[in-house]
Amino acid sequence: MTALADVLATLAARRTESLAELLEFASIPSVSAQSQYTPDMLRAANWLMARLKQCGGGQRGGLNVELWATEGHPAVYAEWLGAPDAPTVLVYGHYDVQPPEPLERWNTLPFSPTVLGDRVYGRGVSDDKGPLLIAVQVADAYFSATGGLPVNVKFLFEGEEEIGSAHLPALVAENSERLRADFVLSADGGMWSAETPSLTVSARGLAALEFTVRGPAKDLHSGRHGGSLQNPLHAISQLVASLHADGRVAVEGFYDGVTERTPDERSATAQLPFSDEAYLAQTGAPGTFGEAGFSTLERQWDRPTLELNGLWGGYTGEGSKTVLPSEAHAKVTCRLVPGQTPERIPALIGAHLRRHLPPGVTLEVRPSEHSASAYHIPADHPGRRVAREVLEQVYGAPPLEVGMGGSIPVLETFQKVLGIDTVFFSFAVGDEDIHAPNEFFRIPRIAEGHQAWARYLDRLAHHHE
Amino acid sequence: MTALADVLATLAARRTESLAELLEFASIPSVSAQSQYTPDMLRAANWLMARLKQCGGGQRGGLNVELWATEGHPAVYAEWLGAPDAPTVLVYGHYDVQPPEPLERWNTLPFSPTVLGDRVYGRGVSDDKGPLLIAVQVADAYFSATGGLPVNVKFLFEGEEEIGSAHLPALVAENSERLRADFVLSADGGMWSAETPSLTVSARGLAALEFTVRGPAKDLHSGRHGGSLQNPLHAISQLVASLHADGRVAVEGFYDGVTERTPDERSATAQLPFSDEAYLAQTGAPGTFGEAGFSTLERQWDRPTLELNGLWGGYTGEGSKTVLPSEAHAKVTCRLVPGQTPERIPALIGAHLRRHLPPGVTLEVRPSEHSASAYHIPADHPGRRVAREVLEQVYGAPPLEVGMGGSIPVLETFQKVLGIDTVFFSFAVGDEDIHAPNEFFRIPRIAEGHQAWARYLDRLAHHHE
């Protein structure tokens, strides 16, 4: 048997154990956005460090594991540099998860991961604890089966991806020597469909802001005062409504610099197996809606957006409360495409909001640190080629090359600071309700991911030969 | 000494005790809108019954006290009919209070009533526990000082005023014989200024509804899906923004039947001591805003309104969550003036919302039972005349006759079912942050209310002579 065959056999023998590890990892509520979970963030980091140290049975010669502090949540770093003639791979992932709210919409407890059929349900199982563990388990199998890894491997698992990776650029810059690598593989991301293997070659960027509209200094009785003062809920609705017109963002300058894709590129997207009908059945939305002249996939991958993620003010509880509230609030994120920058877009929106502010209220705009530029991995990138080949081996067909509507800020960091393009190599699927109630991960993907990662590392070892 | 003088002396001797009773009553969190407080609603009703039974030392010949069940929260009823030749007064009030939220904005605990200077702070102290207790304490003083009351008195204290008095019309209709009276005095309401005594002669009506906008069947990731589906937060903002134009309600038919006031009436309002500058200083709002062509007082008393009381959807917690939410919600109340009905207005709004619904979402409109017609007590009503005289005696100047922006649904019930106009006779003041954090009641008003209620009952005894 070859070394690769030994590794694959080891992984196959450990399937139950691999799933059990995910259940354990995902039971730690590592919610980076909410301070009440800060102790759990540290528990999750410690769990991950222990799992990394255990690779190869925890003996000398395994991974060197470190906790890297930041001004926010720490990152977990591990490395093995025992193959001086082979290339070096940096593996990226994140151990933090989205908040579980709204809790009442979950069918299982978000932090009691639950197996139902061939899925495991729980916050973070798909984004990103399941995909991240696959890479770790493959390294472990290599150590067990062969006593080492076929290439040098560096793992960098951050704890702030879900809140914008604010401290990662500084961390990567400070440790740029140690993080030096030939390839970056991201265990975050996700295939766009459960039926067809795919390789993600682009991601939209991100810019975020919040704003608050303030009227009276305190909540007032809407009977006594209604009609004589501007209601912040009316004002914020007018502001939000002013941000779009006919499915297009109405902020002046928003589309400046955005280039249209070529007819060939648009045609490739149009040929992908996708139907609006199936999409609506999947999402339960009553219809598609967006910018005129673009298909649903183009609207998701290639066009910029401005989306409200939260809007609130006044009384939102049970029953009635006749209040004219003092304040109203909105959270906004934009998805960016090449030609837009995460610095300029919030400034344009702030100017638009100030220009459209109704009388009788004041406005506060708070840009967020949560940002990323749009990303695209070149077609001739060797890591992209290897990924295509490996996915074809595992799935028996070449992967579709697709875009990604979401954003992974760290890609920009690796490109700017380390000078390396990142290959998305996650075995999550985009429909797994990440960032929503009832997030799940497909259990067969663990075995598929094991095979693919094992083959990827094996192929990279021969890349320079 | 006259009987009245004895009563006033008794009340003066009981001032400390009277305040202590309010502190005890207001420490019971009788929030009618929230089901978690249902046991406290019953505690408050029991406390009030015990207090009523204690009138006159709890001896035979005092008040006959009963708990009147409804399909919702019960009402407390008490009567004394020992003056067959004198008129009968029905006293109205409510023992339920508004929800205390937002809790973080209170400087004291809402249900630990706290005396600071000449104010007592706590939920319900002004609306309506303080004003209600004044009437009970006056009855008690009459029993103690004179062995009885100068007129027949019926107390009806409901437990659903803050949620729209939905079950009161049926209760009043079922008990219309027992509730028969010559006058209704409302211990709910409030004077419009702390400096000048006033008599409220009109109140706006109320109509309420909630609506929900639904898009995808579940919350989605706004990166993956944003731009290709209608965002319910965008749609609800457009709907809310469509409800007004230039400070005027833009719902078709909304102003139908609304009559303009006469130049004399408008001139009387214009002469009241009121300044926008002082009003803005009091409310902390950056400017007044409303329907063009009307003063602030006219906008509050004489013009109908459509106000959002709550608006919410998506992620409203700490940090960021890139969600395209499944639903967005709004709570609306309208204040009505003569010519509008609480049945027709929600129907007009529902039709407007359906007509303006953006593509890609569905709409559910839920009219509320919370409603009231606008109210006006005739200028020649004898109860209004007596109130003028008594207030002039207590304060040394004739009261201003003012309107009320808020609504007291029960007034309509008393008019329709019992055929009696209600006189507002509350010693709360409209600036006491009712329905808001840091609700307070002015402690000197307890003594003033005692004097006024004692004199009022005394005058009514001689009304028919």
Side-chain angles (χ1 to χ4, degrees), chain A residues 33-36 98-102 105 123 127 162-163 191-193 204 206 208 210 214-231 233-234 236-238 240-241 244 247 279-280 282-291 295-297 299-301 303-327 331 333 335 359-362 368 370 404-407 430-431 433-437, chain B residues 33-36 98-102 105 123 127 162-163 191-193 204 206 208 210 214-231 233-234 236-238 240-241 244 247 279-280 282-291 295-297 299-301 303-327 331 333 335 359-362 368 370 404-407 430-431 433-437:
Chain A
Q34 297 172 344
S35 48
Q36 72 199 86
Q98 281 275 314
E101 287 81 9
R105 303 279 296 275
R123 172 57 82 227
D127 180 19
E162 299 296 1
I163 52 173
M191 298 204 189
W192 81 306
S193 133
R204 292 195 287 197
L206 179 74
E210 298 190 11
R214 293 194 173 86
K218 54 196 173 188
D219 289 357
L220 300 176
H221 186 289
S222 67
R224 178 167 151 83
H225 299 275
S228 68
L229 296 174
Q230 178 68 271
N231 183 326
L233 298 176
H234 302 180
I236 205 165
S237 295
Q238 290 175 44
V240 173
H244 291 85
Y279 178 60
L280 292 177
Q282 175 207 329
T283 58
T288 63
F289 179 76
E291 208 182 342
S295 71
T296 295
L297 288 183
R299 288 166 174 173
Q300 292 180 349
W301 298 345
R303 299 300 298 171
T305 66
L306 188 165
E307 293 292 313
L308 271 279
N309 302 123
L311 178 67
W312 72 102
Y315 182 66
T316 61
E318 186 187 352
S320 176
K321 184 161 187 283
T322 50
V323 63
L324 193 166
S326 166
E327 298 183 344
K331 288 178 191 272
T333 50
R335 297 294 163 165
V361 286
T362 60
S368 158
H370 201 151
M404 176 176 170
S407 312
D431 67 351
D433 288 333
I434 63 169
H435 297 211
Chain B
Q34 296 172 345
S35 47
Q36 73 200 84
Q98 282 276 313
E101 287 81 10
R105 303 278 296 274
R123 172 57 83 227
D127 181 20
E162 299 296 3
I163 52 172
M191 298 206 189
W192 82 305
S193 130
R204 293 195 288 197
L206 180 73
E210 299 191 10
R214 293 193 174 87
K218 55 196 174 187
D219 288 357
L220 299 177
H221 186 287
S222 68
R224 178 166 151 84
H225 299 275
S228 68
L229 296 174
Q230 178 69 271
N231 183 326
L233 298 176
H234 302 180
I236 205 164
S237 296
Q238 290 175 43
V240 173
H244 291 86
Y279 177 61
L280 293 177
Q282 175 207 328
T283 58
T288 63
F289 180 75
E291 209 182 343
S295 71
T296 294
L297 288 183
R299 288 167 173 173
Q300 293 181 347
W301 298 344
R303 298 301 297 170
T305 65
L306 188 166
E307 294 292 314
L308 272 278
N309 302 123
L311 178 68
W312 72 103
Y315 182 66
T316 61
E318 185 187 353
S320 176
K321 184 162 187 284
T322 51
V323 64
L324 192 165
S326 167
E327 298 182 345
K331 288 179 191 272
T333 49
R335 298 294 163 165
V361 287
T362 61
S368 158
H370 200 152
M404 177 176 169
S407 311
D431 67 351
D433 288 334
I434 64 170
H435 298 209

Side-chain angles (χ1 to χ4, degrees), chain A residues 14-201:
Chain A
R14 288 181 182 171
R15 261 182 216 169
T16 308
E17 191 181 330
S18 294
L19 175 59
E21 281 177 7
L22 174 55
L23 298 181
E24 193 178 311
F25 191 21
S27 72
I28 307 173
S30 48
V31 179
S32 50
Q34 297 172 344
S35 48
Q36 72 199 86
Y37 292 107
T38 301
D40 299 299
M41 287 296 299
L42 211 55
R43 276 176 59 213
N46 284 333
W47 187 95
L48 185 54
M49 289 176 70
R51 179 64 190 90
L52 287 160
K53 283 179 185 160
Q54 183 203 322
C55 284
Q59 292 155 353
R60 282 172 59 93
L63 289 162
N64 171 32
V65 183
E66 300 174 16
L67 188 69
W68 283 4
T70 75
E71 284 179 37
H73 300 295
V76 171
Y77 177 75
E79 65 179 15
W80 184 86
L81 306 175
D85 298 329
T88 299
V89 181
L90 174 60
V91 176
Y92 167 79
H94 62 91
Y95 68 89
D96 65 322
V97 304
Q98 281 275 314
E101 287 81 9
L103 293 172
E104 70 279 9
R105 303 279 296 275
W106 283 80
N107 299 323
T108 60
L109 293 174
F111 297 110
S112 297
T114 304
V115 173
L116 291 171
D118 66 351
R119 297 174 170 191
V120 52
Y121 286 84
R123 172 57 82 227
V125 291
S126 171
D127 180 19
D128 179 38
K129 287 176 173 173
L132 172 165
L133 267 185
I134 286 171
V136 176
Q137 288 161 346
V138 165
D140 192 6
Y142 265 107
F143 280 115
S144 298
T146 72
L149 298 174
V151 292
N152 302 296
V153 172
K154 300 174 176 181
F155 289 108
L156 180 62
F157 298 133
E158 69 159 320
E160 301 193 312
E161 198 278 334
E162 299 296 1
I163 52 173
S165 305
H167 301 104
L168 202 73
L171 192 73
V172 171
E174 279 162 28
N175 296 280
S176 59
E177 276 308 305
R178 293 197 64 189
L179 290 170
R180 208 160 43 169
D182 301 293
F183 298 92
V184 180
L185 285 189
S186 173
D188 195 20
M191 298 204 189
W192 81 306
S193 133
E195 287 70 39
T196 323
S198 65
L199 190 58
T200 305
V201 300

Side-chain angles (χ1 to χ4, degrees), chain B residues 219-280:
Chain B
D219 288 357
L220 299 177
H221 186 287
S222 68
R224 178 166 151 84
H225 299 275
S228 68
L229 296 174
Q230 178 69 271
N231 183 326
L233 298 176
H234 302 180
I236 205 164
S237 296
Q238 290 175 43
L239 282 176
V240 173
S242 77
L243 293 169
H244 291 86
D246 299 325
R248 204 175 144 87
V249 177
V251 173
E252 198 177 330
F254 187 81
Y255 293 96
D256 288 358
V258 174
T259 53
E260 301 287 325
R261 295 165 73 231
T262 65
D264 279 1
E265 287 171 329
R266 297 193 66 178
S267 158
T269 301
Q271 279 161 32
L272 289 170
F274 179 89
S275 85
D276 278 357
E277 196 177 10
Y279 177 61
L280 293 177

Side-chain angles (χ1 to χ4, degrees), chain B residues 102-110 114 116 121 437-438:
Chain B
L103 293 171
E104 70 279 10
R105 303 278 296 274
W106 283 80
N107 299 324
T108 61
L109 292 174
T114 304
L116 291 170
Y121 287 84
N438 304 311

